[in-house]
Amino acid sequence: MYEDDFGRPGLSHMTVAGATHHGMKEIEVWLQTFAPGVGTPIHRHSCEEVFIVQKGKGSLYTEAEAGKKYPGKPNEFMISLNTTFTIPVNRVHQVKNTEVEGDLQVLVIVSGPPIKVFVYKDWHTPHAAAVLQFPYPWDAPCLQHEKGNFESDYVFDEL
Amino acid sequence: MYEDDFGRPGLSHMTVAGATHHGMKEIEVWLQTFAPGVGTPIHRHSCEEVFIVQKGKGSLYTEAEAGKKYPGKPNEFMISLNTTFTIPVNRVHQVKNTEVEGDLQVLVIVSGPPIKVFVYKDWHTPHAAAVLQFPYPWDAPCLQHEKGNFESDYVFDEL
């Protein structure tokens, strides 16, 4: 289990149980830590997600009303130690450390790895303009590795 | 979120994110606490499972060698705070608080609810003699509830 910011200053991501390292096919578990002012992008994905706050405080923002062309002004929920929340499939959301000091740490559980994430520039970005990020940063080396394995298996079969 | 022992003295089970209460379809999250000497039954299931130890100490026992007619003498792993382990699909296993004092608390994540569990009397019970428990105790009221809803919807459609 290794820790990296994956190019996002103020983020610490660890895959606790993942597709590549532990052969998970149906669920992944991550431990993510956000420095003050740092959060996830505004995003949606077609998997189920559960967050459990491990330490710190922050806010969860979720799309207030589905079915419009863009998310619009979100609902805000205060989160702190042991706050648990589930994100419905394709609901646009963001988790952010809104404090001026102290880390926000969350345990994240997602279904159906590897995750496909659509990222929004802001809450008025049209759903159709959200940008697919796949593979997601922490899955990239894993997928590369799997691809490598697949190719060598394929070559081996031809011999 | 409510706590119950579901007829198992020394167990505290809470469904943190579940099919009925939170509409989960792909993952469930439970918080389980075992008193000294108390553990899960010896069992297997066809879902993926991740455990994260929240407090206390104990042992994880897993089938040492798959492919036999019965599990046989298991491997034993010591577990304590933050120990994380994944259980492969259909691997026979048991988690137990082996201490003489202090609770063992684990966060449990499973895929594909509702879970179907095959319970073994001991480690020499043949796989074919393991007993299916379905619905599992904490899913029983939920399934009953869903069945109830389904029936009334059905009646409603006929009117």
Side-chain angles (χ1 to χ4, degrees):
Chain A
M1 193 156 68
Y2 68 101
E3 179 277 337
D4 201 307
D5 73 355
F6 295 94
R8 285 199 211 160
L11 168 71
S12 155
H13 171 96
M14 288 194 286
T15 298
V16 174
T20 302
H21 295 295
H22 311 86
M24 306 302 290
K25 289 178 168 53
E26 301 180 0
I27 42 182
E28 279 209 353
V29 182
W30 309 332
L31 186 65
Q32 295 190 319
T33 310
F34 302 96
V38 174
T40 69
I42 301 167
H43 69 288
R44 72 169 200 269
H45 38 61
S46 60
C47 63
E48 287 188 350
E49 185 167 28
V50 181
F51 286 87
I52 303 173
V53 178
Q54 304 291 299
K55 65 179 177 191
K57 290 180 182 177
S59 286
L60 162 67
Y61 302 93
T62 66
E63 190 182 6
E65 188 188 346
K68 292 190 302 183
K69 288 193 173 172
Y70 57 90
K73 188 179 186 314
N75 290 324
E76 179 177 4
F77 302 92
M78 303 300 164
I79 59 175
S80 56
L81 180 63
N82 288 334
T83 301
T84 303
F85 48 98
T86 62
I87 306 293
V89 168
N90 282 325
R91 176 71 54 93
V92 182
H93 63 285
Q94 179 184 36
V95 174
K96 194 171 177 180
N97 183 345
T98 49
E99 298 291 297
V100 292
E101 59 181 36
D103 287 340
L104 169 67
Q105 187 173 63
V106 291
L107 192 73
V108 184
I109 301 149
V110 294
S111 65
I115 192 170
K116 289 181 182 174
V117 177
F118 288 85
V119 174
Y120 292 69
K121 191 175 174 190
D122 58 48
W123 289 94
H124 291 273
T125 302
H127 294 301
V131 176
L132 173 63
Q133 288 198 359
F134 183 80
Y136 217 52
W138 39 88
D139 290 330
C142 314
L143 287 173
Q144 197 63 36
H145 180 65
E146 284 174 5
K147 193 184 169 199
N149 280 347
F150 174 74
E151 284 175 347
S152 38
D153 285 344
Y154 183 73
V155 169
F156 186 78
D157 284 343
E158 283 187 320
L159 292 177
Chain B
M1 193 156 69
Y2 69 101
E3 180 277 337
D4 200 306
D5 74 353
F6 295 93
R8 284 200 212 159
L11 168 71
S12 155
H13 171 96
M14 287 194 286
T15 298
V16 174
T20 302
H21 295 295
H22 310 86
M24 306 301 291
K25 289 180 169 51
E26 301 179 359
I27 42 182
E28 279 209 352
V29 182
W30 309 333
L31 186 65
Q32 296 190 319
T33 309
F34 301 96
V38 174
T40 70
I42 302 168
H43 68 289
R44 72 169 201 269
H45 37 61
S46 60
C47 64
E48 287 189 351
E49 186 166 27
V50 180
F51 287 86
I52 303 174
V53 177
Q54 304 291 299
K55 66 179 176 192
K57 291 180 183 177
S59 286
L60 163 67
Y61 302 93
T62 65
E63 190 181 7
E65 188 187 346
K68 292 189 302 181
K69 289 194 174 173
Y70 58 90
K73 188 179 186 311
N75 290 324
E76 179 176 5
F77 302 91
M78 303 301 165
I79 59 176
S80 57
L81 180 64
N82 288 334
T83 300
T84 303
F85 48 98
T86 61
I87 307 293
V89 167
N90 282 324
R91 176 72 53 94
V92 183
H93 62 286
Q94 180 184 35
V95 174
K96 194 171 178 181
N97 182 346
T98 50
E99 298 291 297
V100 292
E101 59 181 36
D103 287 341
L104 168 68
Q105 188 174 63
V106 292
L107 192 73
V108 184
I109 301 149
V110 295
S111 64
I115 192 172
K116 289 182 182 171
V117 176
F118 289 85
V119 174
Y120 293 69
K121 191 174 173 191
D122 59 46
W123 289 95
H124 290 274
T125 302
H127 294 301
V131 176
L132 173 63
Q133 288 200 357
F134 183 81
Y136 216 53
W138 38 89
D139 291 331
C142 314
L143 286 174
Q144 197 63 37
H145 180 66
E146 284 174 5
K147 193 184 168 197
N149 280 346
F150 175 74
E151 284 176 347
S152 40
D153 286 343
Y154 183 72
V155 169
F156 186 78
D157 284 343
E158 283 188 319
L159 294 177

